[in-house]
């Protein structure tokens, strides 16, 4: 008995994504016209699709480099179960994103051998119940991928330009963090190597939620599998001195990685210039480690003064100040 699964709902789109997931490809209007059905590997639909490739040969894996969604009619696989099984295993070895089989020409129904092999491998297998021009799918996906890559480059340059402009204009480091938080849509935290918070940005309530349980959050941010917690190391002249963390980033991880890296570049540049005395924030030296460190000490002191000011003036309820005090 063949077990099938409906296509799960797509996740909400983000400002830009450098790749499409299998789930997103299956949600495209052109693809839905072919009545796609996931028959195996439904739990792996969030795999990124790097490219779309039409292939019939049983040893298709030798033509792939990973991340491809492979389209096939199965004309060279019909009647040979060993070849069908090897076809799927070859895709799995090549780390293909998924395989899409158009029913009708070779298989009237989903071939059970291929389905079982795909399920064992954890490879998403999709069948199209209606005739579908593979060229249309290839054109649609490739054009979307190219647009996303262009958008990624544009965003990267925009963030770098904005941060560089703020730095050269003498903006305080808090202004840089605010700009990063605006792009990220989540709290941004900068810490030293001991996880001590040096600065934050983002919606105050969300930042307070993060700070309220910061010790656990810091451990989670360091976990490779942490969903939405993205960090970038801060280093200057070969020496690490801190970390920048996007806390609960909801977009594509690659987008978060890009933002974190660009933010880290900006903070390092700001620190170097502050150490050279160009921003007037620090009290030490002309470019040495002590000078750049002093600029961040003064920033930390400014955060403490801001906390005390909010407490004295009553601008913020005292209960909301507790996470910041901690």
């Amino acid at each position: 008995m063949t077990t099938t699964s409906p296509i799960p709902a797509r996740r909400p789109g983000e400002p830009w994504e450098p790749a499409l997931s299998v789930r997103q490809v299956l949600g495209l209007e052109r693809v839905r016209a072919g009545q796609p059905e996931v028959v195996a590997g439904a739990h792996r639909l969030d795999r990124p699709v790097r490219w779309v490739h039409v292939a019939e040969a049983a040893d298709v894996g030798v033509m792939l480099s990973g991340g491809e969604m492979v389209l096939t009619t199965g004309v060279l696989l019909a009647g040979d179960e060993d070849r069908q099984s090897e076809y799927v295993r070859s895709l799995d070895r090549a780390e293909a994103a998924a395989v899409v089989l158009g029913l009708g020409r070779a298989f009237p129904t989903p071939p059970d051998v291929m389905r079982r092999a795909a399920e064992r491998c954890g490879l998403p297998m999709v069948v199209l119940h209606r005739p579908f021009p593979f060229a249309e799918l290839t054109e649609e996906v490739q054009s979307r991928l190219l647009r996303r890559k262009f958008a990624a480059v544009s965003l990267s340059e925009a963030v770098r330009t904005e941060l560089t402009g703020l730095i050269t204009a003498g903006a305080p480091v808090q202004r840089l963090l605010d700009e990063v938080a605006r792009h990220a849509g989540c709290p941004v935290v900068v810490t030293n190597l001991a996880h001590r918070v040096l600065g934050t940005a983002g919606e105050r309530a969300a930042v307070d939620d993060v700070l309220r349980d910061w010790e656990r959050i810091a451990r989670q941010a360091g976990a490779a599998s942490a969903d939405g917690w993205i960090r970038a190391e801060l280093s200057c002249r070969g020496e690490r001195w801190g970390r920048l963390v996007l806390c609960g980033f909801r977009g594509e991880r690659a987008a978060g990685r890009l933002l974190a890296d660009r933010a880290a570049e900006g903070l390092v540049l700001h620190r170097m210039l502050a150490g050279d005395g160009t921003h007037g924030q620090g009290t030490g030296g002309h470019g040495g480690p002590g000078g750049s460190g002093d600029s961040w000490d003064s920033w930390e002191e400014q955060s403490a003064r801001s906390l005390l000011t909010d407490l004295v003036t009553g601008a913020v309820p005292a209960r909301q100040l507790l996470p910041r005090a901690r």
Side-chain angles (χ1 to χ4, degrees):
M1 179 178 179
T2 300
T3 302
T4 63
S5 170
I7 298 171
R10 298 176 64 194
R11 293 179 177 179
E14 300 300 332
W16 67 270
E17 296 174 307
L20 289 169
S21 67
V22 175
R23 188 191 313 276
Q24 289 170 320
V25 171
L26 298 181
L28 297 177
E29 184 176 353
R30 288 188 180 184
V31 180
R32 288 194 174 278
Q35 294 183 357
E37 178 186 17
V38 179
V39 297
H43 62 293
R44 305 293 297 277
L45 294 184
D46 290 320
R47 280 182 164 184
V49 176
R50 187 184 59 82
W51 208 245
V52 177
H53 188 68
V54 180
E56 306 285 358
D59 60 346
V60 60
V62 300
M63 298 180 284
L64 307 178
S65 57
E68 294 89 352
M69 172 177 277
V70 177
L71 314 179
T72 180
T73 61
V75 292
L76 300 181
L77 305 175
D80 190 332
E81 293 188 348
D82 289 340
R83 182 172 291 184
Q84 294 170 28
S85 181
E86 174 56 27
Y87 184 86
V88 173
R89 290 196 299 267
S90 179
L91 293 178
D92 180 58
R93 289 193 298 268
E95 299 183 346
V99 58
V100 178
L101 173 66
L103 300 180
R105 294 194 62 185
F107 297 99
T109 60
D112 200 46
V113 171
M114 293 183 67
R115 184 194 63 79
R116 290 199 306 269
E119 197 64 57
R120 284 194 299 269
C121 295
L123 176 71
M125 178 176 173
V126 182
V127 296
L128 300 175
H129 288 278
R130 295 186 60 183
F132 184 84
F134 283 169
E136 288 189 9
L137 174 56
T138 301
E139 178 185 13
E140 176 79 7
V141 173
Q142 313 304 44
S143 64
R144 286 175 178 263
L145 289 175
L146 290 174
R147 287 199 299 270
R148 280 162 169 74
K149 290 180 180 179
F150 177 78
V153 173
S154 297
L155 175 63
S156 174
E157 290 306 310
V159 172
R160 178 184 282 121
T161 300
E162 289 175 13
L163 296 185
T164 301
L166 290 172
I167 293 168
T168 56
V173 72
Q174 184 62 52
R175 181 68 182 86
L176 273 66
L177 286 183
D178 290 340
E179 190 67 19
V180 174
R182 183 179 70 82
H183 281 286
C186 69
V188 177
V189 176
V190 175
T191 75
N192 60 17
L193 295 180
H195 303 298
R196 183 181 180 185
V197 175
L198 297 177
T200 63
E203 184 182 351
R204 175 48 57 189
V207 170
D208 287 347
D209 286 342
V210 169
L211 297 183
R212 187 173 292 111
D213 194 14
W214 176 247
E215 288 187 6
R216 181 186 64 81
I217 293 296
R219 291 193 299 271
Q220 182 178 0
S225 60
D227 184 25
W229 304 97
I230 301 173
R231 71 178 187 176
E233 301 296 327
L234 303 174
S235 61
C236 183
R237 299 182 178 92
E239 181 179 356
R240 289 193 305 125
W241 54 270
R243 297 182 180 91
L244 177 138
V245 186
L246 304 185
C247 303
F249 183 74
R250 298 178 60 187
E252 182 75 15
R253 188 169 184 83
R257 178 76 266 161
L258 174 68
L259 285 172
D261 288 344
R262 291 296 170 266
E265 290 176 5
L267 293 181
V268 169
L269 178 59
H270 189 286
R271 179 184 174 97
M272 293 175 66
L273 293 177
D276 290 336
T278 58
H279 284 258
Q281 295 273 344
T283 58
H286 295 278
S292 60
D294 287 343
S295 71
W296 285 80
D297 289 341
S298 68
W299 182 30
E300 192 171 9
E301 292 166 0
Q302 289 174 25
S303 297
R305 286 197 296 270
S306 174
L307 169 66
L308 293 176
T309 299
D310 288 344
L311 179 61
V312 171
T313 61
V316 180
R319 66 179 181 278
Q320 294 183 16
L321 295 176
L322 184 58
R324 291 166 61 187
R326 286 181 180 145

